[in-house]
Amino acid sequence: MGQPVVPVILAGGQGTRLWPLSRSARPKQFLPLTGKTSLFQETLKRVSDPSRYAPPIVITNADYRFVVAEQAQEIGVPLAGILLEPVARNTTAAIAAGAVFAERQGGADTVIHVLASDAAIVADDGYWASVEVAAAAASKGSLVTFGISPTGPETGYGYIEVGAERGDGTRDVARFVEKPDHDKAVAMLRQGGFYWNSGMFMLGVGSFLDECRALSPESFEAAQGAVENAKADLDFVRLDEASFATAPNISVDYAIFEKSQKVAVVPVSFSWSDLGSWDAVWKVSPQDAQHNAVVGDATLSNTTNSLVHSEKAHVAIEGLDDVAVIATEDAVFVGRLSESQKVGAMVKALKARPETQAITEIHKTAYRPWGGYSSILNGARFQVKKLFVKPGAKLSLQKHHHRAEHWVVVSGSAEVTIDGKVTMVNENESIYLPLGCVHRLANPGKILLEVIEVQTGSYLGEDDIIRIEDEFGRA
C-alpha cells in the first residue's frame, strides 16, 4: 500500500438507536456488542498493522475523551492524536479537521482512511483488497467511498448507484440515494447496480481539502481555524471552539461527495453492518438452533428468532417469536425485533418528557477516568453509591458545600486523605468525611477498590464539587 495510510476514526456519535444499552453518556461504539471488546476497540485493531497504517487520529467530544484513551491503551494501540470537538457539527467539519491535522503532521500527499467507530466489519481478504484499491486511487486524487453489496432491502441505509468502471478497480458514482422505503429498496435491488453507502472513505488530504475549500468553504475555514488555534490538554487536542462553531451542520455526503467530480466508489462484498438497530445486532450475533441470540442471564422456552440482552436481571421468555428484550439496571425495552428501527423515535419521545429524559442520557453506572460509580438508592437528603477505583488511580482532591459522606470499603484497600491527614482503610472498615472537608480517595493496591458511599445533606447533585487538584484536567 506504499506509504502507511493514516486512519481517521469518528467516535463522537451518541447511538441512541440501541437504547437502553447505548445512551449519550456511554454510546454504542464503546460497548462490547459483538464480542469481549468494544466496537471502537475492534476498529482500532483493524488499523493496528504498522505495515499498512500509521497511528490513528480519533475525533470525538470531550465527554468521551477518557474512554477513548483508556480503550486504546487497553488493547495497546498508540494514537497520533485525540481531537476533541467543542460542538457537534456533523461529518464534514469532523473529517475536514482530521484532514487538516493529518496534513500538518505528514503533508498534502498523506492518504487518510475515514472510519466510523461503531460498525461491525469482517476484515477478510476481500476487505483488504478493497482497501488496497481505494488507497491507490486516493493517492492519485480520487475521493473514494466504499459501497457494500446489499444482502437485503434495508431501509436504514443510504444507497450508491454505481456507474462506469474506471479501470483501477473503482467505478464512477451515478448518484447517491437517501434511505428508501421498503418498496423502493426492493426495486433498486431488483434493478441491480445499487450498493449500501458505508460511510467509509479513503482520501488524499490535499485533494479532499481542495474540494472542501471549493464546495464547502465555511467547513474548510472552520476546520483550518479550529486546528490552527487548538490547545493541547494532557493527551488531547481541543479544537478551537470559536472557529469550529462556524462550520455548517452538514454531512460530508451532502457537502462534498454529491457535488464533487473526483468521487469514485469501490464495490465490495465483505460483511459490514452499522449496527443501527437491535435487529442488526441480532444478525451478527451467535445464535442457537432456534435463531435466538442471548447475552447475559436468560431462560427461553418455545421462543424463536429473538434477541435477549440483560445486564443483571434474569430474563425469562415463554412462547414468543421475533422479540427484542434489552434489560439494563434502570430500563427495559421490549418490542418486535423486526421493527427495532423504531427505537429512535421512542427515545425522542422519552427525551421530551422531564420524568424520563434522564434514562435516555445516563446509566445508573457512570464511568470516569479513575473508574466510576453506580447509583444504588436515592431518598430525601441521602443517596447510596458504589464507587469502583482502578488500581493505582485516584480521584481529585475535592470538597463539597452541602453534603457529608461515609465510605465503607468492601473490596481492596483505600488511601483516604481528609484535610491533609492520610488514613489507610481496609476491607470491612469505614471512615466519615464531614461536610466541607478537603478529601481524596485513592487505590494504592493491585486489585479493584470497591467502596460503598453514603451521602447525606441538603443537596446531593454531582455539581456540588470543588476540585482543588485533578490529574485529569477537570475544573
Side-chain angles (χ1 to χ4, degrees):
M1 205 155 57
Q3 179 182 351
V5 169
V6 177
V8 173
I9 300 173
L10 307 180
Q14 295 190 352
T16 54
R17 288 179 295 171
L18 295 187
W19 183 86
L21 194 62
S22 174
R23 308 188 198 182
S24 56
R26 191 78 167 183
K28 68 174 181 175
Q29 61 265 32
F30 303 121
L31 302 175
L33 293 174
T34 59
K36 293 184 178 179
T37 52
S38 73
L39 297 173
F40 172 65
Q41 289 174 315
E42 290 298 314
T43 305
L44 290 178
K45 288 180 181 179
R46 285 197 304 275
V47 298
S48 62
D49 182 350
S51 68
R52 297 179 185 270
Y53 289 106
I57 298 166
V58 179
I59 304 174
T60 188
N61 65 55
D63 290 340
Y64 307 149
R65 66 194 189 278
F66 293 115
V67 70
V68 164
E70 179 182 331
Q71 291 200 353
Q73 186 179 36
E74 280 178 358
I75 59 171
V77 176
L79 303 179
I82 301 174
L83 309 188
L84 304 182
E85 294 178 288
V87 291
R89 283 296 181 268
N90 217 310
T91 52
T92 304
I95 295 171
V100 171
F101 189 82
E103 182 183 46
R104 291 165 75 92
Q105 289 193 325
D109 293 335
T110 302
V111 173
I112 60 174
H113 190 181
V114 180
L115 297 161
S117 59
D118 58 358
I121 292 173
V122 176
D124 57 15
D125 290 343
Y127 173 84
W128 291 116
S130 71
V131 168
E132 295 277 354
V133 167
S139 69
K140 296 175 182 177
S142 293
L143 308 185
V144 185
T145 185
F146 294 76
I148 310 295
S149 297
T151 57
E154 292 287 345
T155 59
Y157 302 147
Y159 286 71
I160 300 171
E161 183 179 9
V162 301
E165 294 184 3
R166 293 190 163 198
D168 59 357
T170 70
R171 300 182 69 162
D172 290 334
V173 173
R175 62 180 172 129
F176 290 87
V177 181
E178 281 292 305
K179 295 176 182 178
D181 59 28
H182 183 265
D183 291 344
K184 186 175 181 180
V186 169
M188 288 191 296
L189 265 60
R190 190 175 293 132
Q191 177 183 330
F194 288 88
Y195 293 78
W196 291 337
N197 187 353
S198 68
M200 294 190 298
F201 310 104
M202 193 75 75
L203 312 168
V205 294
S207 297
F208 175 75
L209 290 174
D210 285 345
E211 289 295 89
C212 190
R213 184 190 290 109
L215 301 174
S216 186
E218 299 92 342
S219 299
F220 175 80
E221 294 294 337
Q224 284 275 60
V227 174
E228 287 176 3
N229 299 309
K231 298 289 190 296
D233 180 1
L234 300 176
D235 295 329
F236 314 108
V237 177
R238 289 187 179 272
L239 298 173
D240 180 63
E241 182 171 2
S243 300
F244 198 79
T246 64
N249 187 358
I250 187 170
S251 76
V252 75
D253 284 338
Y254 285 135
I256 309 295
F257 278 79
E258 292 186 9
K259 301 174 183 178
S260 174
Q261 300 302 307
K262 296 182 178 181
V263 177
V265 59
V266 179
V268 298
S269 57
F270 56 80
S271 177
W272 171 91
S273 173
D274 76 343
L275 298 184
S277 67
W278 286 116
D279 179 52
V281 173
W282 171 75
K283 287 178 180 177
V284 301
S285 299
Q287 298 175 11
D288 62 20
Q290 287 72 46
H291 305 293
N292 298 313
V294 177
V295 176
D297 293 331
T299 299
L300 279 63
S301 175
N302 299 319
T303 295
T304 55
N305 306 307
S306 295
L307 172 69
V308 180
H309 196 298
S310 179
E311 288 188 329
K312 290 190 175 180
H314 191 104
V315 175
I317 302 176
E318 165 64 38
L320 296 178
D321 176 71
D322 184 35
V323 295
V325 180
I326 315 300
T328 66
E329 293 179 86
D330 60 344
V332 178
F333 168 78
V334 180
R336 288 196 179 279
L337 183 62
S338 57
E339 296 179 358
S340 56
Q341 290 279 357
K342 297 178 180 179
V343 171
M346 174 173 284
V347 172
K348 287 183 180 178
L350 291 169
K351 278 187 174 181
R353 298 167 52 194
E355 65 270 26
T356 54
Q357 180 181 5
I359 61 171
T360 69
E361 298 174 352
I362 58 174
H363 293 268
K364 277 199 168 185
T365 298
Y367 295 89
R368 295 292 183 265
W370 43 263
Y373 61 86
S374 298
S375 178
I376 297 174
L377 182 64
N378 291 280
R381 295 181 64 88
F382 81 92
Q383 64 178 334
V384 181
K385 294 181 177 180
K386 183 182 80 170
L387 312 181
F388 49 96
V389 185
K390 293 180 290 188
K394 59 184 177 182
L395 284 67
S396 60
L397 186 66
Q398 59 186 253
K399 67 178 181 179
H400 311 294
H401 290 306
H402 302 288
R403 70 174 185 254
E405 295 172 338
H406 303 253
W407 288 344
V408 181
V409 175
V410 295
S411 178
S413 296
E415 181 185 275
V416 180
T417 302
I418 301 177
D419 291 331
K421 180 182 177 182
V422 178
T423 303
M424 291 300 301
V425 185
N426 299 310
E427 290 183 14
N428 300 318
E429 296 178 347
S430 64
I431 194 167
Y432 172 63
L433 293 84
L435 185 151
C437 73
V438 175
H439 60 277
R440 167 176 268 159
L441 175 65
N443 179 3
K446 302 294 185 182
I447 65 173
L448 189 71
L449 168 64
E450 294 181 295
V451 174
I452 297 300
E453 176 181 87
V454 181
Q455 301 177 0
T456 58
S458 59
Y459 179 74
L460 305 174
E462 282 300 307
D463 54 348
D464 177 24
I465 180 170
I466 305 298
R467 291 190 175 93
I468 299 163
E469 293 178 9
D470 183 61
E471 63 183 38
F472 305 110
R474 297 169 299 173

